């Protein structure tokens, strides 16, 4: 495990943006596998690799770049590593970023699942508020710790590790028709 961590650290030093994006894509995919197998009880015979691939694509092309970029912006908006700064970052993140990100995630998922604009809007109306409330049960505490203890270049990875559970929930929510 130590060797794996050293390899990750080395790659983060050489290619931080790429590693963050690949990590996000892979962990969103893991979240979908968990969703299909442990939440939905599909079994491996009924596992949708197409769905997992779509979710990984959202991780690679949306979650990784957007969240990774957001953390850089947020660090400039609210400077410092104090407890007060961590609290301010969490509030800006949860009040400003999270609602928009969650809506975009669910909308992109619906589009990739072939929903029409009308169907996607109806699905957002049905699922968005519940998902946002669930977000507020998990993420504020995680983000305060993340902003206070974790260096900027590791924040996306920490969030994505915690997000395996969250991604499982979001995958279930996004794919529940």
């Amino acid at each position: 495990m130590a060797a794996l961590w050293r390899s990750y650290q080395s790659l983060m030093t050489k290619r931080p943006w790429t590693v963050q994006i690949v990590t996000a894509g892979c962990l969103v995919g893991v979240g979908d596998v968990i969703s299909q197998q442990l939440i939905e009880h599909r079994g491996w015979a009924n596992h949708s690799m197409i769905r997992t691939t779509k979710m990984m694509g959202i991780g690679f092309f949306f979650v990784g770049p957007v969240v990774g970029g957001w953390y850089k912006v947020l660090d400039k908006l609210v400077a410092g590593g104090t407890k007060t700064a961590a609290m301010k970052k969490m509030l800006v993140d949860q009040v400003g970023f999270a609602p928009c990100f969650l809506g975009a995630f669910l909308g992109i998922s619906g589009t990739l699942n072939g929903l029409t604009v009308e169907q996607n809007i109806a699905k957002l109306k049905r699922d968005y508020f519940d998902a946002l409330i669930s977000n507020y049960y998990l993420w504020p505490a995680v983000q305060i710790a993340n902003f206070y203890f974790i260096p900027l270049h590791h924040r996306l990875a920490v969030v994505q590790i915690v997000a395996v559970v969250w991604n499982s929930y979001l995958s279930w929510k996004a794919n529940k028709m």
Side-chain angles (χ1 to χ4, degrees), residues 111-160:
T111 300
L112 288 177
N113 284 327
L115 298 182
T116 65
V117 172
E118 294 80 17
Q119 291 169 325
N120 217 351
I121 290 169
K123 184 163 180 16
L124 281 167
K125 285 180 181 177
R126 184 187 79 206
D127 294 340
Y128 176 77
F129 186 71
D130 182 46
L132 186 61
I133 295 302
S134 297
N135 169 84
Y136 291 138
Y137 282 118
L138 173 65
W139 287 110
V142 170
Q143 291 294 52
I144 288 173
N146 198 27
F147 296 137
Y148 187 64
F149 295 110
I150 307 299
L152 175 61
H153 63 283
H154 287 305
R155 287 184 189 152
L156 179 60
V158 168
V159 163
Q160 287 305 310

mmCIF file of all heavy atoms in Angstrom, residues 111-160:
data_model
loop_
_atom_site.group_PDB
_atom_site.id
_atom_site.type_symbol
_atom_site.label_atom_id
_atom_site.label_comp_id
_atom_site.label_asym_id
_atom_site.label_seq_id
_atom_site.Cartn_x
_atom_site.Cartn_y
_atom_site.Cartn_z
ATOM 1 N N THR A 111 -29.346 13.298 -19.987
ATOM 2 C CA THR A 111 -29.080 13.444 -21.422
ATOM 3 C C THR A 111 -28.363 12.210 -21.964
ATOM 4 O O THR A 111 -28.737 11.677 -23.014
ATOM 5 C CB THR A 111 -28.243 14.706 -21.682
ATOM 6 O OG1 THR A 111 -28.984 15.847 -21.209
ATOM 7 C CG2 THR A 111 -27.922 14.877 -23.158
ATOM 8 N N LEU A 112 -27.350 11.734 -21.243
ATOM 9 C CA LEU A 112 -26.627 10.535 -21.686
ATOM 10 C C LEU A 112 -27.500 9.287 -21.655
ATOM 11 O O LEU A 112 -27.236 8.321 -22.378
ATOM 12 C CB LEU A 112 -25.376 10.311 -20.828
ATOM 13 C CG LEU A 112 -24.227 11.290 -21.057
ATOM 14 C CD1 LEU A 112 -23.079 11.009 -20.100
ATOM 15 C CD2 LEU A 112 -23.744 11.246 -22.495
ATOM 16 N N ASN A 113 -28.531 9.304 -20.830
ATOM 17 C CA ASN A 113 -29.463 8.183 -20.776
ATOM 18 C C ASN A 113 -30.578 8.306 -21.814
ATOM 19 O O ASN A 113 -31.510 7.511 -21.820
ATOM 20 C CB ASN A 113 -30.062 8.040 -19.374
ATOM 21 C CG ASN A 113 -29.066 7.429 -18.421
ATOM 22 O OD1 ASN A 113 -28.248 6.604 -18.803
ATOM 23 N ND2 ASN A 113 -29.133 7.835 -17.162
ATOM 24 N N GLY A 114 -30.476 9.321 -22.657
ATOM 25 C CA GLY A 114 -31.428 9.448 -23.753
ATOM 26 C C GLY A 114 -32.723 10.154 -23.418
ATOM 27 O O GLY A 114 -33.679 10.085 -24.189
ATOM 28 N N LEU A 115 -32.775 10.830 -22.280
ATOM 29 C CA LEU A 115 -34.002 11.550 -21.935
ATOM 30 C C LEU A 115 -34.175 12.766 -22.837
ATOM 31 O O LEU A 115 -33.199 13.434 -23.182
ATOM 32 C CB LEU A 115 -33.969 12.005 -20.475
ATOM 33 C CG LEU A 115 -33.880 10.933 -19.392
ATOM 34 C CD1 LEU A 115 -33.899 11.580 -18.016
ATOM 35 C CD2 LEU A 115 -35.002 9.921 -19.529
ATOM 36 N N THR A 116 -35.417 13.051 -23.183
ATOM 37 C CA THR A 116 -35.709 14.283 -23.905
ATOM 38 C C THR A 116 -35.559 15.443 -22.923
ATOM 39 O O THR A 116 -35.463 15.239 -21.705
ATOM 40 C CB THR A 116 -37.147 14.273 -24.462
ATOM 41 O OG1 THR A 116 -38.055 14.265 -23.339
ATOM 42 C CG2 THR A 116 -37.393 13.071 -25.362
ATOM 43 N N VAL A 117 -35.590 16.646 -23.450
ATOM 44 C CA VAL A 117 -35.492 17.823 -22.586
ATOM 45 C C VAL A 117 -36.626 17.806 -21.560
ATOM 46 O O VAL A 117 -36.410 18.037 -20.364
ATOM 47 C CB VAL A 117 -35.504 19.123 -23.416
ATOM 48 C CG1 VAL A 117 -35.606 20.348 -22.518
ATOM 49 C CG2 VAL A 117 -34.268 19.212 -24.293
ATOM 50 N N GLU A 118 -37.836 17.506 -22.011
ATOM 51 C CA GLU A 118 -38.991 17.484 -21.113
ATOM 52 C C GLU A 118 -38.833 16.405 -20.041
ATOM 53 O O GLU A 118 -39.142 16.638 -18.870
ATOM 54 C CB GLU A 118 -40.288 17.256 -21.903
ATOM 55 C CG GLU A 118 -40.661 18.380 -22.844
ATOM 56 C CD GLU A 118 -39.878 18.347 -24.174
ATOM 57 O OE1 GLU A 118 -39.285 17.300 -24.528
ATOM 58 O OE2 GLU A 118 -39.838 19.391 -24.837
ATOM 59 N N GLN A 119 -38.394 15.216 -20.444
ATOM 60 C CA GLN A 119 -38.193 14.127 -19.488
ATOM 61 C C GLN A 119 -37.093 14.482 -18.489
ATOM 62 O O GLN A 119 -37.211 14.193 -17.294
ATOM 63 C CB GLN A 119 -37.828 12.833 -20.216
ATOM 64 C CG GLN A 119 -38.949 12.234 -21.024
ATOM 65 C CD GLN A 119 -38.451 11.107 -21.929
ATOM 66 O OE1 GLN A 119 -37.342 11.145 -22.459
ATOM 67 N NE2 GLN A 119 -39.303 10.092 -22.107
ATOM 68 N N ASN A 120 -36.037 15.110 -18.976
ATOM 69 C CA ASN A 120 -34.926 15.498 -18.108
ATOM 70 C C ASN A 120 -35.385 16.533 -17.087
ATOM 71 O O ASN A 120 -35.044 16.452 -15.904
ATOM 72 C CB ASN A 120 -33.764 16.024 -18.949
ATOM 73 C CG ASN A 120 -32.412 15.640 -18.407
ATOM 74 O OD1 ASN A 120 -32.283 15.110 -17.305
ATOM 75 N ND2 ASN A 120 -31.387 15.905 -19.178
ATOM 76 N N ILE A 121 -36.172 17.495 -17.522
ATOM 77 C CA ILE A 121 -36.692 18.513 -16.596
ATOM 78 C C ILE A 121 -37.586 17.860 -15.550
ATOM 79 O O ILE A 121 -37.473 18.155 -14.351
ATOM 80 C CB ILE A 121 -37.427 19.629 -17.360
ATOM 81 C CG1 ILE A 121 -36.415 20.462 -18.148
ATOM 82 C CG2 ILE A 121 -38.237 20.511 -16.413
ATOM 83 C CD1 ILE A 121 -37.024 21.441 -19.148
ATOM 84 N N ALA A 122 -38.447 16.942 -15.981
ATOM 85 C CA ALA A 122 -39.328 16.250 -15.030
ATOM 86 C C ALA A 122 -38.510 15.444 -14.031
ATOM 87 O O ALA A 122 -38.806 15.418 -12.830
ATOM 88 C CB ALA A 122 -40.297 15.334 -15.778
ATOM 89 N N LYS A 123 -37.450 14.788 -14.512
ATOM 90 C CA LYS A 123 -36.590 14.001 -13.621
ATOM 91 C C LYS A 123 -35.867 14.918 -12.637
ATOM 92 O O LYS A 123 -35.759 14.605 -11.455
ATOM 93 C CB LYS A 123 -35.587 13.180 -14.435
ATOM 94 C CG LYS A 123 -34.737 12.265 -13.563
ATOM 95 C CD LYS A 123 -34.066 11.210 -14.380
ATOM 96 C CE LYS A 123 -33.208 10.271 -13.614
ATOM 97 N NZ LYS A 123 -33.322 10.192 -12.197
ATOM 98 N N LEU A 124 -35.383 16.047 -13.114
ATOM 99 C CA LEU A 124 -34.739 17.014 -12.210
ATOM 100 C C LEU A 124 -35.722 17.509 -11.157
ATOM 101 O O LEU A 124 -35.364 17.612 -9.978
ATOM 102 C CB LEU A 124 -34.153 18.184 -13.000
ATOM 103 C CG LEU A 124 -32.826 17.925 -13.692
ATOM 104 C CD1 LEU A 124 -32.508 19.035 -14.685
ATOM 105 C CD2 LEU A 124 -31.704 17.782 -12.677
ATOM 106 N N LYS A 125 -36.942 17.811 -11.558
ATOM 107 C CA LYS A 125 -37.960 18.255 -10.599
ATOM 108 C C LYS A 125 -38.225 17.180 -9.552
ATOM 109 O O LYS A 125 -38.433 17.483 -8.382
ATOM 110 C CB LYS A 125 -39.258 18.627 -11.316
ATOM 111 C CG LYS A 125 -39.188 19.943 -12.049
ATOM 112 C CD LYS A 125 -40.508 20.252 -12.740
ATOM 113 C CE LYS A 125 -40.428 21.557 -13.502
ATOM 114 N NZ LYS A 125 -41.683 21.835 -14.229
ATOM 115 N N ARG A 126 -38.210 15.930 -9.981
ATOM 116 C CA ARG A 126 -38.494 14.818 -9.071
ATOM 117 C C ARG A 126 -37.320 14.524 -8.134
ATOM 118 O O ARG A 126 -37.531 14.262 -6.950
ATOM 119 C CB ARG A 126 -38.826 13.562 -9.889
ATOM 120 C CG ARG A 126 -39.221 12.374 -9.026
ATOM 121 C CD ARG A 126 -39.379 11.109 -9.835
ATOM 122 N NE ARG A 126 -38.051 10.562 -10.101
ATOM 123 C CZ ARG A 126 -37.751 9.799 -11.135
ATOM 124 N NH1 ARG A 126 -38.660 9.501 -12.029
ATOM 125 N NH2 ARG A 126 -36.534 9.338 -11.294
ATOM 126 N N ASP A 127 -36.091 14.590 -8.628
ATOM 127 C CA ASP A 127 -34.938 14.068 -7.881
ATOM 128 C C ASP A 127 -33.999 15.118 -7.289
ATOM 129 O O ASP A 127 -33.260 14.820 -6.357
ATOM 130 C CB ASP A 127 -34.110 13.148 -8.781
ATOM 131 C CG ASP A 127 -34.843 11.892 -9.164
ATOM 132 O OD1 ASP A 127 -35.811 11.528 -8.467
ATOM 133 O OD2 ASP A 127 -34.445 11.259 -10.162
ATOM 134 N N TYR A 128 -33.992 16.328 -7.833
ATOM 135 C CA TYR A 128 -32.971 17.303 -7.457
ATOM 136 C C TYR A 128 -33.009 17.667 -5.971
ATOM 137 O O TYR A 128 -31.986 17.616 -5.293
ATOM 138 C CB TYR A 128 -33.105 18.570 -8.310
ATOM 139 C CG TYR A 128 -32.144 19.653 -7.906
ATOM 140 C CD1 TYR A 128 -30.808 19.579 -8.273
ATOM 141 C CD2 TYR A 128 -32.556 20.733 -7.144
ATOM 142 C CE1 TYR A 128 -29.908 20.561 -7.895
ATOM 143 C CE2 TYR A 128 -31.673 21.721 -6.758
ATOM 144 C CZ TYR A 128 -30.348 21.630 -7.134
ATOM 145 O OH TYR A 128 -29.462 22.592 -6.743
ATOM 146 N N PHE A 129 -34.164 18.048 -5.470
ATOM 147 C CA PHE A 129 -34.238 18.522 -4.084
ATOM 148 C C PHE A 129 -33.821 17.424 -3.104
ATOM 149 O O PHE A 129 -33.060 17.676 -2.163
ATOM 150 C CB PHE A 129 -35.645 19.033 -3.761
ATOM 151 C CG PHE A 129 -35.739 19.650 -2.397
ATOM 152 C CD1 PHE A 129 -35.143 20.875 -2.136
ATOM 153 C CD2 PHE A 129 -36.396 19.002 -1.364
ATOM 154 C CE1 PHE A 129 -35.216 21.446 -0.871
ATOM 155 C CE2 PHE A 129 -36.468 19.564 -0.097
ATOM 156 C CZ PHE A 129 -35.873 20.795 0.156
ATOM 157 N N ASP A 130 -34.282 16.203 -3.324
ATOM 158 C CA ASP A 130 -33.906 15.078 -2.477
ATOM 159 C C ASP A 130 -32.397 14.852 -2.502
ATOM 160 O O ASP A 130 -31.766 14.637 -1.463
ATOM 161 C CB ASP A 130 -34.654 13.817 -2.944
ATOM 162 C CG ASP A 130 -34.361 12.616 -2.072
ATOM 163 O OD1 ASP A 130 -34.389 12.754 -0.833
ATOM 164 O OD2 ASP A 130 -34.104 11.537 -2.641
ATOM 165 N N ALA A 131 -31.802 14.925 -3.696
ATOM 166 C CA ALA A 131 -30.351 14.745 -3.820
ATOM 167 C C ALA A 131 -29.596 15.883 -3.125
ATOM 168 O O ALA A 131 -28.575 15.655 -2.465
ATOM 169 C CB ALA A 131 -29.955 14.657 -5.294
ATOM 170 N N LEU A 132 -30.109 17.102 -3.241
ATOM 171 C CA LEU A 132 -29.450 18.242 -2.597
ATOM 172 C C LEU A 132 -29.495 18.117 -1.073
ATOM 173 O O LEU A 132 -28.489 18.356 -0.398
ATOM 174 C CB LEU A 132 -30.094 19.559 -3.046
ATOM 175 C CG LEU A 132 -29.415 20.834 -2.566
ATOM 176 C CD1 LEU A 132 -27.984 20.930 -3.085
ATOM 177 C CD2 LEU A 132 -30.220 22.057 -3.014
ATOM 178 N N ILE A 133 -30.621 17.704 -0.532
ATOM 179 C CA ILE A 133 -30.726 17.502 0.921
ATOM 180 C C ILE A 133 -29.752 16.404 1.354
ATOM 181 O O ILE A 133 -29.047 16.550 2.365
ATOM 182 C CB ILE A 133 -32.176 17.156 1.330
ATOM 183 C CG1 ILE A 133 -33.108 18.339 1.049
ATOM 184 C CG2 ILE A 133 -32.258 16.724 2.788
ATOM 185 C CD1 ILE A 133 -32.749 19.630 1.748
ATOM 186 N N SER A 134 -29.695 15.329 0.597
ATOM 187 C CA SER A 134 -28.746 14.246 0.907
ATOM 188 C C SER A 134 -27.316 14.758 0.867
ATOM 189 O O SER A 134 -26.488 14.384 1.696
ATOM 190 C CB SER A 134 -28.917 13.088 -0.078
ATOM 191 O OG SER A 134 -30.205 12.525 0.045
ATOM 192 N N ASN A 135 -27.017 15.626 -0.093
ATOM 193 C CA ASN A 135 -25.707 16.261 -0.193
ATOM 194 C C ASN A 135 -25.348 16.956 1.121
ATOM 195 O O ASN A 135 -24.233 16.838 1.620
ATOM 196 C CB ASN A 135 -25.719 17.270 -1.344
ATOM 197 C CG ASN A 135 -24.506 18.174 -1.361
ATOM 198 O OD1 ASN A 135 -23.470 17.830 -1.878
ATOM 199 N ND2 ASN A 135 -24.653 19.365 -0.787
ATOM 200 N N TYR A 136 -26.313 17.673 1.683
ATOM 201 C CA TYR A 136 -26.042 18.438 2.898
ATOM 202 C C TYR A 136 -25.863 17.573 4.145
ATOM 203 O O TYR A 136 -25.290 18.040 5.127
ATOM 204 C CB TYR A 136 -27.130 19.497 3.121
ATOM 205 C CG TYR A 136 -27.069 20.600 2.088
ATOM 206 C CD1 TYR A 136 -28.223 21.114 1.522
ATOM 207 C CD2 TYR A 136 -25.850 21.130 1.668
ATOM 208 C CE1 TYR A 136 -28.172 22.124 0.571
ATOM 209 C CE2 TYR A 136 -25.786 22.127 0.713
ATOM 210 C CZ TYR A 136 -26.947 22.625 0.181
ATOM 211 O OH TYR A 136 -26.894 23.620 -0.763
ATOM 212 N N TYR A 137 -26.297 16.337 4.103
ATOM 213 C CA TYR A 137 -26.032 15.413 5.210
ATOM 214 C C TYR A 137 -24.574 14.955 5.221
ATOM 215 O O TYR A 137 -24.020 14.692 6.283
ATOM 216 C CB TYR A 137 -26.918 14.161 5.121
ATOM 217 C CG TYR A 137 -28.332 14.372 5.582
ATOM 218 C CD1 TYR A 137 -29.389 14.211 4.700
ATOM 219 C CD2 TYR A 137 -28.626 14.731 6.896
ATOM 220 C CE1 TYR A 137 -30.704 14.390 5.106
ATOM 221 C CE2 TYR A 137 -29.930 14.920 7.312
ATOM 222 C CZ TYR A 137 -30.956 14.748 6.415
ATOM 223 O OH TYR A 137 -32.247 14.935 6.824
ATOM 224 N N LEU A 138 -23.980 14.843 4.043
ATOM 225 C CA LEU A 138 -22.631 14.270 3.932
ATOM 226 C C LEU A 138 -21.528 15.314 3.797
ATOM 227 O O LEU A 138 -20.537 15.275 4.522
ATOM 228 C CB LEU A 138 -22.581 13.324 2.720
ATOM 229 C CG LEU A 138 -21.206 12.748 2.346
ATOM 230 C CD1 LEU A 138 -20.694 11.844 3.468
ATOM 231 C CD2 LEU A 138 -21.301 11.988 1.026
ATOM 232 N N TRP A 139 -21.692 16.232 2.849
ATOM 233 C CA TRP A 139 -20.551 17.005 2.382
ATOM 234 C C TRP A 139 -20.048 18.145 3.262
ATOM 235 O O TRP A 139 -18.837 18.414 3.250
ATOM 236 C CB TRP A 139 -20.813 17.488 0.955
ATOM 237 C CG TRP A 139 -20.694 16.324 0.021
ATOM 238 C CD1 TRP A 139 -21.710 15.721 -0.648
ATOM 239 C CD2 TRP A 139 -19.517 15.592 -0.281
ATOM 240 N NE1 TRP A 139 -21.214 14.651 -1.362
ATOM 241 C CE2 TRP A 139 -19.876 14.552 -1.155
ATOM 242 C CE3 TRP A 139 -18.185 15.703 0.104
ATOM 243 C CZ2 TRP A 139 -18.960 13.646 -1.654
ATOM 244 C CZ3 TRP A 139 -17.270 14.799 -0.396
ATOM 245 C CH2 TRP A 139 -17.658 13.785 -1.266
ATOM 246 N N PRO A 140 -20.866 18.859 4.016
ATOM 247 C CA PRO A 140 -20.279 19.950 4.811
ATOM 248 C C PRO A 140 -19.160 19.490 5.749
ATOM 249 O O PRO A 140 -18.087 20.108 5.781
ATOM 250 C CB PRO A 140 -21.473 20.514 5.576
ATOM 251 C CG PRO A 140 -22.620 20.276 4.636
ATOM 252 C CD PRO A 140 -22.336 18.911 4.044
ATOM 253 N N ALA A 141 -19.362 18.413 6.481
ATOM 254 C CA ALA A 141 -18.308 17.938 7.397
ATOM 255 C C ALA A 141 -17.075 17.465 6.624
ATOM 256 O O ALA A 141 -15.937 17.759 7.018
ATOM 257 C CB ALA A 141 -18.847 16.803 8.272
ATOM 258 N N VAL A 142 -17.309 16.759 5.536
ATOM 259 C CA VAL A 142 -16.181 16.285 4.714
ATOM 260 C C VAL A 142 -15.386 17.471 4.185
ATOM 261 O O VAL A 142 -14.152 17.487 4.238
ATOM 262 C CB VAL A 142 -16.680 15.404 3.545
ATOM 263 C CG1 VAL A 142 -15.556 15.104 2.560
ATOM 264 C CG2 VAL A 142 -17.298 14.113 4.057
ATOM 265 N N GLN A 143 -16.096 18.481 3.700
ATOM 266 C CA GLN A 143 -15.407 19.613 3.093
ATOM 267 C C GLN A 143 -14.662 20.469 4.113
ATOM 268 O O GLN A 143 -13.576 20.961 3.811
ATOM 269 C CB GLN A 143 -16.393 20.469 2.285
ATOM 270 C CG GLN A 143 -16.886 19.771 1.039
ATOM 271 C CD GLN A 143 -15.805 19.533 0.009
ATOM 272 O OE1 GLN A 143 -14.741 18.978 0.286
ATOM 273 N NE2 GLN A 143 -16.074 19.953 -1.207
ATOM 274 N N ILE A 144 -15.196 20.633 5.298
ATOM 275 C CA ILE A 144 -14.449 21.384 6.313
ATOM 276 C C ILE A 144 -13.121 20.680 6.592
ATOM 277 O O ILE A 144 -12.063 21.306 6.607
ATOM 278 C CB ILE A 144 -15.269 21.552 7.613
ATOM 279 C CG1 ILE A 144 -16.391 22.559 7.378
ATOM 280 C CG2 ILE A 144 -14.378 22.014 8.769
ATOM 281 C CD1 ILE A 144 -17.364 22.670 8.532
ATOM 282 N N ALA A 145 -13.165 19.375 6.793
ATOM 283 C CA ALA A 145 -11.929 18.616 7.022
ATOM 284 C C ALA A 145 -11.017 18.701 5.799
ATOM 285 O O ALA A 145 -9.798 18.886 5.934
ATOM 286 C CB ALA A 145 -12.259 17.160 7.339
ATOM 287 N N ASN A 146 -11.589 18.579 4.626
ATOM 288 C CA ASN A 146 -10.804 18.627 3.393
ATOM 289 C C ASN A 146 -10.100 19.972 3.241
ATOM 290 O O ASN A 146 -8.902 20.032 2.960
ATOM 291 C CB ASN A 146 -11.734 18.364 2.201
ATOM 292 C CG ASN A 146 -11.007 17.968 0.942
ATOM 293 O OD1 ASN A 146 -9.914 17.407 0.968
ATOM 294 N ND2 ASN A 146 -11.630 18.236 -0.184
ATOM 295 N N PHE A 147 -10.821 21.053 3.455
ATOM 296 C CA PHE A 147 -10.238 22.378 3.285
ATOM 297 C C PHE A 147 -9.244 22.724 4.392
ATOM 298 O O PHE A 147 -8.341 23.530 4.185
ATOM 299 C CB PHE A 147 -11.332 23.444 3.217
ATOM 300 C CG PHE A 147 -12.235 23.309 2.030
ATOM 301 C CD1 PHE A 147 -13.602 23.472 2.167
ATOM 302 C CD2 PHE A 147 -11.733 23.018 0.772
ATOM 303 C CE1 PHE A 147 -14.448 23.357 1.081
ATOM 304 C CE2 PHE A 147 -12.570 22.891 -0.322
ATOM 305 C CZ PHE A 147 -13.927 23.062 -0.174
ATOM 306 N N TYR A 148 -9.399 22.145 5.548
ATOM 307 C CA TYR A 148 -8.507 22.470 6.663
ATOM 308 C C TYR A 148 -7.239 21.605 6.687
ATOM 309 O O TYR A 148 -6.151 22.106 6.937
ATOM 310 C CB TYR A 148 -9.263 22.337 7.989
ATOM 311 C CG TYR A 148 -8.458 22.807 9.182
ATOM 312 C CD1 TYR A 148 -8.078 24.146 9.290
ATOM 313 C CD2 TYR A 148 -8.084 21.925 10.177
ATOM 314 C CE1 TYR A 148 -7.333 24.584 10.384
ATOM 315 C CE2 TYR A 148 -7.342 22.366 11.267
ATOM 316 C CZ TYR A 148 -6.967 23.689 11.364
ATOM 317 O OH TYR A 148 -6.231 24.118 12.443
ATOM 318 N N PHE A 149 -7.371 20.316 6.419
ATOM 319 C CA PHE A 149 -6.255 19.395 6.581
ATOM 320 C C PHE A 149 -5.543 18.988 5.291
ATOM 321 O O PHE A 149 -4.396 18.559 5.335
ATOM 322 C CB PHE A 149 -6.723 18.098 7.269
ATOM 323 C CG PHE A 149 -7.199 18.301 8.671
ATOM 324 C CD1 PHE A 149 -8.542 18.173 8.978
ATOM 325 C CD2 PHE A 149 -6.311 18.644 9.683
ATOM 326 C CE1 PHE A 149 -8.995 18.364 10.275
ATOM 327 C CE2 PHE A 149 -6.753 18.836 10.985
ATOM 328 C CZ PHE A 149 -8.100 18.699 11.279
ATOM 329 N N ILE A 150 -6.193 19.089 4.148
ATOM 330 C CA ILE A 150 -5.673 18.488 2.913
ATOM 331 C C ILE A 150 -5.120 19.564 1.984
ATOM 332 O O ILE A 150 -5.792 20.560 1.716
ATOM 333 C CB ILE A 150 -6.795 17.698 2.193
ATOM 334 C CG1 ILE A 150 -7.450 16.692 3.134
ATOM 335 C CG2 ILE A 150 -6.272 17.023 0.928
ATOM 336 C CD1 ILE A 150 -6.532 15.635 3.700
ATOM 337 N N PRO A 151 -3.905 19.346 1.450
ATOM 338 C CA PRO A 151 -3.358 20.303 0.479
ATOM 339 C C PRO A 151 -4.219 20.340 -0.789
ATOM 340 O O PRO A 151 -4.844 19.344 -1.159
ATOM 341 C CB PRO A 151 -1.962 19.746 0.146
ATOM 342 C CG PRO A 151 -1.668 18.731 1.184
ATOM 343 C CD PRO A 151 -2.968 18.264 1.750
ATOM 344 N N LEU A 152 -4.224 21.478 -1.460
ATOM 345 C CA LEU A 152 -5.061 21.702 -2.633
ATOM 346 C C LEU A 152 -4.950 20.573 -3.652
ATOM 347 O O LEU A 152 -5.956 20.085 -4.161
ATOM 348 C CB LEU A 152 -4.691 23.046 -3.286
ATOM 349 C CG LEU A 152 -5.394 23.391 -4.597
ATOM 350 C CD1 LEU A 152 -6.901 23.482 -4.394
ATOM 351 C CD2 LEU A 152 -4.844 24.691 -5.159
ATOM 352 N N HIS A 153 -3.744 20.130 -3.970
ATOM 353 C CA HIS A 153 -3.574 19.147 -5.041
ATOM 354 C C HIS A 153 -4.082 17.751 -4.669
ATOM 355 O O HIS A 153 -4.190 16.885 -5.536
ATOM 356 C CB HIS A 153 -2.114 19.096 -5.512
ATOM 357 C CG HIS A 153 -1.141 18.663 -4.465
ATOM 358 N ND1 HIS A 153 -0.722 19.498 -3.458
ATOM 359 C CD2 HIS A 153 -0.526 17.485 -4.274
ATOM 360 C CE1 HIS A 153 0.129 18.848 -2.684
ATOM 361 N NE2 HIS A 153 0.260 17.626 -3.151
ATOM 362 N N HIS A 154 -4.446 17.532 -3.409
ATOM 363 C CA HIS A 154 -5.010 16.237 -3.008
ATOM 364 C C HIS A 154 -6.513 16.306 -2.703
ATOM 365 O O HIS A 154 -7.138 15.287 -2.437
ATOM 366 C CB HIS A 154 -4.297 15.695 -1.769
ATOM 367 C CG HIS A 154 -2.918 15.206 -2.051
ATOM 368 N ND1 HIS A 154 -2.640 14.259 -3.003
ATOM 369 C CD2 HIS A 154 -1.731 15.536 -1.497
ATOM 370 C CE1 HIS A 154 -1.340 14.021 -3.019
ATOM 371 N NE2 HIS A 154 -0.769 14.797 -2.133
ATOM 372 N N ARG A 155 -7.091 17.485 -2.754
ATOM 373 C CA ARG A 155 -8.497 17.631 -2.349
ATOM 374 C C ARG A 155 -9.466 16.856 -3.235
ATOM 375 O O ARG A 155 -10.394 16.236 -2.734
ATOM 376 C CB ARG A 155 -8.892 19.106 -2.295
ATOM 377 C CG ARG A 155 -8.269 19.789 -1.111
ATOM 378 C CD ARG A 155 -8.709 21.217 -0.981
ATOM 379 N NE ARG A 155 -7.887 21.821 0.065
ATOM 380 C CZ ARG A 155 -7.583 23.091 0.118
ATOM 381 N NH1 ARG A 155 -8.046 23.931 -0.800
ATOM 382 N NH2 ARG A 155 -6.824 23.551 1.090
ATOM 383 N N LEU A 156 -9.237 16.899 -4.535
ATOM 384 C CA LEU A 156 -10.134 16.168 -5.422
ATOM 385 C C LEU A 156 -10.065 14.668 -5.136
ATOM 386 O O LEU A 156 -11.091 13.992 -5.088
ATOM 387 C CB LEU A 156 -9.805 16.443 -6.893
ATOM 388 C CG LEU A 156 -10.673 15.716 -7.917
ATOM 389 C CD1 LEU A 156 -12.144 16.095 -7.757
ATOM 390 C CD2 LEU A 156 -10.192 16.016 -9.327
ATOM 391 N N ALA A 157 -8.875 14.152 -4.895
ATOM 392 C CA ALA A 157 -8.731 12.716 -4.603
ATOM 393 C C ALA A 157 -9.442 12.355 -3.300
ATOM 394 O O ALA A 157 -10.143 11.339 -3.222
ATOM 395 C CB ALA A 157 -7.263 12.339 -4.533
ATOM 396 N N VAL A 158 -9.278 13.170 -2.276
ATOM 397 C CA VAL A 158 -9.950 12.903 -0.996
ATOM 398 C C VAL A 158 -11.460 12.916 -1.191
ATOM 399 O O VAL A 158 -12.175 12.020 -0.733
ATOM 400 C CB VAL A 158 -9.523 13.933 0.079
ATOM 401 C CG1 VAL A 158 -10.416 13.861 1.300
ATOM 402 C CG2 VAL A 158 -8.068 13.719 0.455
ATOM 403 N N VAL A 159 -11.945 13.928 -1.894
ATOM 404 C CA VAL A 159 -13.376 14.024 -2.144
ATOM 405 C C VAL A 159 -13.848 12.806 -2.943
ATOM 406 O O VAL A 159 -14.902 12.244 -2.659
ATOM 407 C CB VAL A 159 -13.708 15.342 -2.877
ATOM 408 C CG1 VAL A 159 -15.070 15.304 -3.518
ATOM 409 C CG2 VAL A 159 -13.619 16.492 -1.898
ATOM 410 N N GLN A 160 -13.076 12.383 -3.926
ATOM 411 C CA GLN A 160 -13.500 11.256 -4.748
ATOM 412 C C GLN A 160 -13.482 9.941 -3.970
ATOM 413 O O GLN A 160 -14.297 9.064 -4.229
ATOM 414 C CB GLN A 160 -12.663 11.149 -6.022
ATOM 415 C CG GLN A 160 -12.985 12.224 -7.026
ATOM 416 C CD GLN A 160 -14.466 12.258 -7.382
ATOM 417 O OE1 GLN A 160 -15.072 11.254 -7.709
ATOM 418 N NE2 GLN A 160 -15.058 13.437 -7.301
#
